[in-house]
Amino acid sequence: MTIDTSELAALRPDMTRFAYLLLRDSHAVEDVVQATMLTAIEKQAGFKNNSSLKTWLFTILRNKTIDALRRGKREVSIADLSGDDDDLEEVLFNQKGSWNQEARPTAWGNPEASFEQSEFWIVFNACLHNLPEQTSRVFMMREFLEFEVDDICKELKLSTSNCWVTLHRARAKLRLCLDTNWFSGQGFQESRR
């Protein structure tokens, strides 16, 4: 099967956003996206239409991104895990670790139905992009690239406990952002950090 290069070009913005969330370096992102597109063109005979072009392309992009992270092409700054993240914990939870009444999450109904809506993914991406860089990177490596926690720790030079705390904070902030900007129907609000 021959892949139409205009289809690749149409998917480029999505690929760039995905790679940027992980790499946070425009040069590394450009390299990974170009390498993905080049691989897709070179290996187009391997695309059998068993999945969508986007799914196939993002599988290649995922692998290229993992390779870039593993090669260590860029320095990763380890974010300080204290500060405003602790303030978030105080807002969400009481001293016993239970939800504060005013911060208790609302029922999400049928979240799977949201996954099928392109608008949900726009809000999700905005929420993810609004996370601190290190928090976003750890979350993406675990949930999207399916790295094991030990591998994330090794790649980013984090302790296991810091990694788990970062994942917890990422999930809490994403839940709060999605609760406010998607499930409550208020629309995305940029100042959610």
Side-chain angles (χ1 to χ4, degrees):
M1 171 176 194
T2 303
I3 296 174
D4 183 1
T5 55
S6 66
E7 289 180 84
L8 291 178
L11 292 170
R12 185 183 184 91
D14 290 340
M15 291 189 302
T16 301
R17 276 191 298 277
F18 176 83
Y20 187 79
L21 286 169
L22 286 156
L23 301 173
R24 300 284 179 134
D25 177 275
S26 58
H27 299 293
V29 168
E30 187 63 28
D31 289 346
V32 167
V33 170
Q34 284 184 10
T36 299
M37 294 177 78
L38 182 61
T39 299
I41 291 168
E42 289 173 347
K43 309 234 183 226
Q44 60 186 306
F47 177 59
K48 303 290 185 203
N49 254 348
N50 294 336
S51 61
S52 71
L53 176 62
K54 184 174 183 174
T55 300
W56 183 67
L57 206 55
F58 270 76
T59 300
I60 296 169
L61 177 62
R62 176 185 178 273
N63 293 332
K64 297 285 184 194
T65 303
I66 289 171
D67 290 344
L69 286 168
R70 289 206 167 127
R71 277 192 307 270
K73 284 193 164 185
R74 62 189 253 24
E75 291 182 18
V76 177
S77 61
I78 305 300
D80 181 22
L81 293 176
S82 61
D84 65 0
D85 285 336
D86 292 333
D87 295 339
L88 176 68
E89 297 291 321
E90 290 175 15
V91 168
L92 297 178
F93 305 105
N94 63 26
Q95 291 179 335
K96 295 180 181 177
S98 299
W99 285 98
N100 285 327
Q101 190 61 34
E102 61 278 358
R104 186 178 302 275
T106 58
W108 283 8
N110 182 4
E112 288 82 17
S114 293
F115 299 160
E116 297 175 12
Q117 298 178 34
S118 61
E119 294 86 6
F120 169 81
W121 292 108
I122 292 169
V123 172
F124 179 84
N125 282 335
C127 289
L128 190 60
H129 189 72
N130 227 18
L131 291 175
E133 182 177 325
Q134 182 74 359
T135 305
S136 173
R137 182 177 293 117
V138 170
F139 179 82
M140 291 290 289
M141 289 175 77
R142 177 72 178 133
E143 301 301 335
F144 284 81
L145 299 180
E146 299 175 348
F147 272 52
E148 295 297 324
V149 169
D150 290 341
D151 294 331
I152 296 170
C153 292
K154 188 184 317 176
E155 294 295 325
L156 300 180
K157 296 177 180 51
L158 291 173
S159 70
T160 303
S161 62
N162 280 352
C163 187
W164 284 112
V165 166
T166 301
L167 283 168
H168 168 73
R169 289 179 176 163
R171 291 175 181 134
K173 285 183 175 186
L174 285 172
R175 169 132 192 151
L176 183 62
C177 183
L178 288 171
D179 204 27
T180 302
N181 298 299
W182 178 258
F183 292 103
S184 71
Q186 294 179 14
F188 185 74
Q189 301 168 4
E190 187 64 34
S191 62
R192 296 299 307 161
R193 258 193 199 200

